[in-house]
Amino acid sequence: MQIINDTSAMIPEPCVATIGFFDGVHMGHRYLIQQVKEIAAAKGLRSALVTFPVHPRKVMNAAYHPELLTTPEEKTNLLAGTGVDYCLMLDFTPDISRLTAKEFMTQILKERFQVKYLVIGYDHRFGHNRSEGFDDYVRYGQAIGIEVIRAQAYTDDIQIDTIQSAPVSSSLIRKLLHQGDVAARCLGYEYFLDGTVVGGYQVGRKIGFPTANLSVDDPDKLIPADGVYAVWVTFDGQTYMGMLNIGVRPTIDNGPNRTIEVNILHFHSNIYDKFIRLTFVKRTRPELKFAGIDELIVQLHKDAEETETILLGKQAERSKLRPN
């Protein structure tokens, strides 16, 4: 995949494209991208994604907290794995925000990015007032030489509140993560957090469960719901089993300070200042307040045993899927 930030330095070849922020690069995005690739192959053209390095709402409002599923770098790496030809990075500026849909299609898609076919969902909206819809885009495209094609939506049998068979979207995945569902079936991969190990209160060490405290690299990255999770912990090229707690540690009266602490099973070395990745496998329980430290220690032993069982089972499943 070629990433094009500046079309003055490199003009892409005529292409079939779609446009979006692609946060999470989830199954819905991948289904859309596959349609773009198939149409591009049929037309003998390049495939392309038009996306933004920074969330458009954050450009217009610096205080906006988007709760990203993927950081810009993570998103780019995931998009590269889809096999698309071009990733066309568009800096969303106030000037671009004022373009009408027709102006955006003409000045950006047609003249700058050489788009011949635009693949979008029926409910996708772009342009200054976002009041126009698919039929309008088709009409504008006919006037400037872009064929607009309606994409099929990806759905999954997801039950969340009263929603069933909902289209997979970034907003749905955020809702699942906020409820403690790690949403791997929607993402197509296991959700992860990257960060650096920092000093903590060292309470875990005193009760036999030393933890590595994670400071997440990107403050806009979504942190899943409070609770205990079975996770993979990766650093220095090695992966370990981990029991993760997200929350305020109510049993030890931690106050409102929310922490992300992982106990790496069967590991006892110092990893301060290490860059680590936490990959979520399953939430095992919500965060609870116990009557005292002794009751907490009993529960932590149960949690560690359950975590190891889950992760060893996941490891066995992966081994079966590997080719001999």
Side-chain angles (χ1 to χ4, degrees):
M1 182 180 77
Q2 292 180 283
I3 301 172
I4 302 178
N5 294 292
D6 182 5
T7 51
S8 65
M10 176 183 177
I11 299 175
E13 297 176 52
C15 60
V16 178
T18 190
I19 181 171
F21 188 63
F22 300 110
D23 186 28
V25 194
H26 53 65
M27 294 298 291
H29 294 142
R30 293 168 187 270
Y31 188 62
L32 171 62
I33 292 168
Q34 183 59 36
Q35 293 174 68
V36 170
K37 290 169 58 181
E38 290 173 358
I39 294 169
K43 303 294 183 182
L45 297 172
R46 296 289 190 177
S47 57
L49 310 175
V50 180
T51 191
F52 312 96
V54 179
H55 197 289
R57 284 184 62 183
K58 195 171 181 67
V59 172
M60 305 306 293
N61 177 11
Y64 174 65
H65 180 54
E67 291 197 305
L68 297 174
L69 302 174
T70 44
T71 67
E73 182 179 1
E74 291 165 359
K75 180 174 76 171
T76 301
N77 290 337
L78 288 167
L79 288 174
T82 65
V84 74
D85 294 316
Y86 294 131
C87 182
L88 306 173
M89 289 291 185
L90 178 63
D91 285 324
F92 191 84
T93 64
D95 286 342
I96 287 178
S97 74
R98 288 189 286 270
L99 294 177
T100 65
K102 186 174 183 180
E103 289 169 340
F104 183 85
M105 290 178 68
T106 303
Q107 297 175 29
I108 305 298
L109 301 183
K110 174 72 174 179
E111 297 174 0
R112 187 185 300 187
F113 291 147
Q114 305 294 309
V115 174
K116 297 294 184 183
Y117 297 85
L118 177 65
V119 184
I120 58 173
Y122 72 94
D123 59 348
H124 187 81
R125 295 285 189 275
F126 58 82
H128 174 61
N129 57 18
R130 301 175 69 87
S131 63
E132 296 146 309
F134 183 82
D135 292 338
D136 299 301
Y137 305 148
V138 170
R139 189 171 69 255
Y140 302 151
Q142 290 172 342
I144 62 175
I146 294 178
E147 183 175 336
V148 180
I149 300 172
R150 176 174 287 164
Q152 295 179 334
Y154 178 87
T155 59
D156 192 7
D157 291 330
I158 300 164
Q159 296 184 16
I160 174 171
D161 296 336
T162 59
I163 303 171
Q164 293 187 5
S165 299
V168 172
S169 66
S170 299
S171 59
L172 174 62
I173 293 170
R174 291 188 195 99
K175 190 170 186 178
L176 289 169
L177 288 169
H178 279 305
Q179 295 186 350
D181 186 324
V182 296
R185 67 189 182 280
C186 297
L187 286 166
Y189 57 90
E190 293 168 328
Y191 190 70
F192 58 89
L193 293 175
D194 288 345
T196 304
V197 177
V198 297
Y201 296 99
Q202 298 191 343
V203 174
R205 186 176 303 277
K206 295 174 184 176
I207 63 175
F209 289 89
T211 60
N213 292 263
L214 184 73
S215 175
V216 177
D217 281 352
D218 192 324
D220 284 334
K221 179 94 175 192
L222 187 151
I223 309 301
D226 290 355
V228 178
Y229 294 82
V231 299
W232 300 113
V233 186
T234 304
F235 58 91
D236 291 344
Q238 299 293 320
T239 298
Y240 305 86
M241 295 183 290
M243 176 175 66
L244 174 70
N245 186 80
I246 299 175
V248 298
R249 305 187 300 176
T251 305
I252 60 172
D253 195 20
N254 193 49
N257 184 31
R258 193 177 188 219
T259 59
I260 303 169
E261 302 178 79
V262 62
N263 171 248
I264 306 173
L265 304 186
H266 314 301
F267 184 87
H268 306 287
S269 298
N270 184 340
I271 59 170
Y272 285 127
D273 300 322
K274 290 278 189 185
F275 173 85
I276 69 173
R277 170 168 290 186
L278 302 179
T279 303
F280 290 74
V281 176
K282 185 178 180 180
R283 186 182 189 228
T284 58
R285 66 170 174 85
E287 187 176 47
L288 302 171
K289 183 173 182 178
F290 297 95
I293 294 296
D294 290 341
E295 188 176 325
L296 171 61
I297 292 171
V298 170
Q299 181 61 50
L300 288 175
H301 280 288
K302 294 178 181 178
D303 291 337
E305 184 177 340
E306 182 179 5
T307 294
E308 187 162 10
T309 298
I310 290 168
L311 294 175
L312 288 175
K314 180 65 69 171
Q315 202 170 54
E317 286 177 17
R318 290 177 174 176
S319 297
K320 289 179 182 178
L321 294 174
R322 291 193 194 107
N324 295 327

